[in-house]
Each structure stands twice: as C-alpha cells, then as structure tokens.
Amino acid sequence: MDRVVRLAQLLRTPVVGGDGEVVGRLADVIVRLRGRDYPLVTGLVVRVGGREVFLPAEQVADLDAERITLASPRVDLRHFERREGEVLLRADVLGHRVIDVADVELVRAYDIALEQRLDRWVLTCLDTRRPPHLWGRLRSRAAWPDWRDWKSFEPLIGHARSARVRGPFARLGRLKPADLADLLEDANRTESHEILQTVHADPELEADVFEELEPDWQTRLLGERSDAEIAQVLARMRADDAADALNELPQSRRQPVLDALPAGQRTKVLTLMGFNPSSAGGLMALDVLALAGDSTVAEALRAAGESLAFQPQALTSVYLAGEERRLLGVVTVVELLQADPSARLDDVADRDPVRAGPETDVEDVALLMTDYNLLTVPVVDDEDRILGVITVDDVLDAVIPEDWRRREPPPHPAHRMEEPGPEPASNDIPPAS
C-alpha cells in the first residue's frame, strides 16, 4: 500500500543517519516538475548546525513524520545551492498561492501531500482550505479540509529558472482571456508578473487578455513596460480597445507609443481617438465586411470565411455598399446560410438598415439594438458612408454601471479537468503517523 505524508508535519523532523545519530532537521523538500506527471521528490534540504545542506533522494531510506532515516551516516556538508529546475516546497509552494485552474481563482496551499510510489516519492495533493485553529492548535480530523489533486493547480513559483522548466503555457493555456484577466486583477505584483510572463509566450493571447482587463489594471500593467513593449501589445489589440488603452496612458507616453505602432494600426487608432470614447464613433470597429449589391450569396459567405483578421462579433452581418462605401443594405450571416447561394445580395438584403452616426451616445445605440434585436449597428457619416460597426459586446461593456461590473462573478460550475497520467491520490489524506 502506498504511504502518504504531509509536508507540514515533516518540516523540522529529525534526520537520522544509518548509525542512528541525529544529523540535522528537515528544512525543505526539493521536487522536479514533470509536465503532466506528478512532481518527483529529488532531494531534501537539511539544516545541519548553522548551514543548509543537500541530501539526494537516493540517500533517504525512510520518510516519516517522526523521523527521516538515511541509508548511511555520511552527509555532504557543502552549503546547499539551488539549481535550475528545482522547486522548494516550503519556500515556493507551502503558504503561497497557486492557480486553481478548474475554478479559475487564486488559492493558498496550506499543506502538501507526498506519496510513496514504489521506491520514489511524488507530490500528489494540496490542501487549499485555511486550517481552523482552536487556542493555537489544529482541531481534530473532523475539521480537516478535502485534499485536491495537484493536477488541478498551476503553481506560481516566483523563481525564473524554475518557471522555465514548466514550458510556455502548462495549464494556463486552456483558460479564456477573460479568466486570465480576472486572475491578474486578483494577483499581487509578484503573481501578476509571473502570470504575464506565461501569457507573453503567445502575443495574440496577451493582447486578448489586456483587452479584458479593467482600465485601471490595464494602465497599471502597461505602465510597467517600455514604449516599444506597450506598442507591441496594442498592435495586436482591436483598434478600438487599443485607442482606449492609449487614452488611459499618461500624456507624456502617448505619442512615443503611437510612433512605435505599425502604420496600419496607428492610422486606425488615430481615427478612433478623434471621437468621444463614449460615442458610437469611439466604440466602433473599423473593419467592416461590405460588398456590392450584385455579389452573390455564395461570394458573401466566402468573403466572411476569409475575413480572418476581423473581429468575430462584427461578422454577424454583411453590408451592401455603393459608391464611396455608401450604405445600401444589410443581410445577416444566418440569412445568407438559409438563402439560395446563387441569389444576389440585392434580392435578400434589408434595404433600410438601422444605422447610427459617429456622435450617437452609446445609450442610444443600446436602445436601437434593443428595439430592433440587433447584434451590430453600422456607423455612418453625414453622407451615409460606412465608417465602422459597433457590436453588442462593446455596448454592454460601456453601459453596465461600474459598481455592477465590479461585483463578484457568479461561481463557476463544479468540474475538474481531466488529465492523462497516473491515477490521482486519494482525497482523504490520513495524518502522518
């Protein structure tokens, strides 16, 4: 039967040599992260006199809460120096926060379970519920929390050389940008720095995450970067979000960041910055799928499928445009899918589409969308030329009151992500003997 011990009970346990003499006391346990496998215990840090020394796992004959027995009395007394890829469970994990990937929240690791499998020890579970105290002592077994599989979490090690061995994404790569933004807004400076380092490996994801951040957090995190680094993020963001982010930066930094943007994105951002941020012009996306009325349904669907750079929310409709992009009509993608592929857009489109001017207040745009059950509204100038399109998600983001936006989000449905690999350890971790 596999044996399980708890790190909290192991710390300061006497370490006894093969001759029965006490060598020192346990200061920490070293593990190596192994991707989808459970972290492997590779050694111990033992305090001997006034120094900390390293003991390889192979030298440990027995790991127990009462005493740790070595296979021989000989100990290398050279001072312990952390090596690349090593994670120290007491220093890096115990008492620190980890990311609960399934429930998308930061939780604290109050204890760690180590399980012996064959002749090796592995980290299998974390205890993330604050232990109840009574007169400074832990209560009985009935008050113990449920133990949860290590694979439900992503550790925030806070040690750059150790973080590199986890790969570019690990479990965080499966989270949605909005989830990652929520984590960043709950993280402290050290935690947010490490999360951003992970996200930075995918520049497109990084831009999506910054789009989801609240403006004050967005400004704070961007402000810690150089002008060129800010421009790299804004270049991949939607132009309307990039314009909003730029407007929130200190005045002295706006022009240098603008100058560092690619020409195409710079033109879009400057165009949007010319409008009131709370107007249809300030919120609109500039990329609009507009075709001539004599185009066929099949051609319109093909064009929608090839518009990979467009904001997906803006592709719910195709607009008919005449000379100088004057708005002539609109047809939804669903209507296109239901129409004869050979039919002309002129024959299937609504020739009197709802529209808004660039100075229209966002609240009025919201009323238009509500009255006409619309997901998008085209924005036109005084001569009915298409300037852009405003989408329902942009309107909702602008009209939801600030105090509502900052409410606690609803709880995530209870679930756990499946991981291939060894069977997880039992959630009922017994106390170490």
Side-chain angles (χ1 to χ4, degrees), residues 27-349:
D28 216 325
V29 175
I30 306 168
V31 300
R32 185 178 74 247
L33 301 182
R34 301 187 296 166
R36 295 184 179 223
D37 288 334
Y38 293 110
L40 177 67
V41 174
T42 58
L44 308 178
V45 180
V46 178
R47 180 168 291 279
V48 179
R51 67 168 56 208
E52 290 185 345
V53 302
F54 170 73
L55 290 178
E58 294 78 14
Q59 194 173 343
V60 179
D62 189 31
L63 202 61
D64 188 84
E66 296 296 327
R67 69 179 194 172
I68 298 167
T69 307
L70 303 183
S72 73
R74 300 184 60 183
V75 175
D76 187 341
L77 293 179
R78 284 180 296 178
H79 185 74
F80 167 71
E81 292 186 5
R82 183 170 178 158
R83 295 176 294 181
E84 183 169 351
E86 291 181 338
V87 173
L88 306 182
L89 295 187
R90 181 192 62 79
D92 299 334
V93 182
L94 188 66
H96 295 263
R97 294 206 295 181
V98 295
I99 298 173
D100 182 333
V101 179
D103 293 331
V104 194
E105 62 180 342
L106 287 161
V107 295
R108 198 169 300 279
Y110 290 103
D111 207 346
I112 298 169
L114 302 174
E115 183 173 338
Q116 186 178 30
R117 297 191 171 180
L118 299 177
D119 59 344
R120 303 194 298 178
W121 288 87
V122 293
L123 188 169
T124 55
C125 291
L126 293 183
D127 160 8
T128 59
R129 188 180 302 174
R130 182 187 296 275
H133 284 72
L134 183 62
W135 300 302
R137 300 185 64 179
L138 286 175
R139 290 180 182 174
S140 67
R141 175 185 171 86
W144 278 30
D146 293 330
W147 288 80
R148 294 181 50 199
D149 196 308
W150 165 263
K151 294 178 182 179
S152 297
F153 305 98
E154 180 68 23
L156 295 172
I157 301 302
H159 183 255
R161 291 188 298 162
S162 299
R164 285 201 296 266
V165 304
R166 285 181 279 160
F169 278 110
R171 300 168 182 86
L172 294 188
R174 298 198 299 270
L175 298 183
K176 294 179 173 59
D179 292 334
L180 290 167
D182 288 342
L183 288 174
L184 284 169
E185 290 169 3
D186 186 39
N188 60 34
R189 181 178 293 272
T190 301
E191 293 164 344
S192 64
H193 179 70
E194 186 161 351
I195 294 171
L196 282 175
Q197 276 190 321
T198 302
V199 172
H200 185 67
D202 183 344
E204 297 297 334
L205 176 62
E206 182 181 40
D208 291 341
V209 169
F210 270 95
E211 288 177 357
E212 298 291 343
L213 287 170
E214 293 293 334
D216 53 344
W217 275 97
Q218 187 184 79
T219 302
R220 184 185 308 176
L221 294 174
L222 284 176
E224 297 174 354
R225 303 187 176 199
S226 68
D227 296 336
E229 290 170 336
I230 295 173
Q232 289 174 355
V233 176
L234 299 192
R236 292 179 169 85
M237 291 171 64
R238 290 164 35 187
D240 54 329
D241 289 320
D244 291 341
L246 194 63
N247 273 324
E248 294 293 329
L249 290 176
Q251 181 72 39
S252 61
R253 303 202 66 183
R254 293 177 195 169
Q255 192 59 50
V257 173
L258 264 174
D259 293 340
L261 285 174
Q265 182 76 332
R266 182 167 62 249
T267 299
K268 292 179 181 179
V269 168
L270 284 171
T271 298
L272 292 167
M273 290 178 71
F275 298 106
N276 186 321
S278 62
S279 69
L283 292 173
M284 67 183 176
L286 297 177
D287 294 319
V288 181
L289 183 54
L291 302 174
D294 60 359
S295 302
T296 67
V297 167
E299 289 170 339
L301 288 172
R302 187 181 310 115
E306 293 173 352
S307 300
L308 301 180
F310 280 36
Q311 177 187 346
Q313 296 92 323
L315 281 174
T316 59
S317 298
V318 176
Y319 295 94
L320 278 63
E323 293 183 2
E324 297 184 335
R325 283 173 63 90
R326 283 187 171 83
L327 180 64
L328 300 178
V330 63
V331 57
T332 67
V333 171
V334 172
E335 290 170 330
L336 291 174
L337 291 169
Q338 295 172 340
D340 182 347
S342 62
R344 288 161 40 103
L345 294 186
D346 277 332
D347 299 326
V348 298

Side-chain angles (χ1 to χ4, degrees), residues 342-380:
S342 62
R344 288 161 40 103
L345 294 186
D346 277 332
D347 299 326
V348 298
D350 175 2
R351 302 306 297 270
D352 185 25
V354 175
R355 67 203 74 189
E359 300 303 328
T360 305
D361 288 338
V362 66
E363 289 83 0
D364 292 332
V365 177
L367 289 174
L368 285 175
M369 288 183 161
T370 301
D371 287 343
Y372 294 96
N373 297 317
L374 300 173
L375 295 176
T376 61
V377 171
V379 181
V380 299

Side-chain angles (χ1 to χ4, degrees), residues 419-430:
E419 288 267 14
E423 288 297 318
S426 169
N427 281 347
D428 184 18
I429 303 295

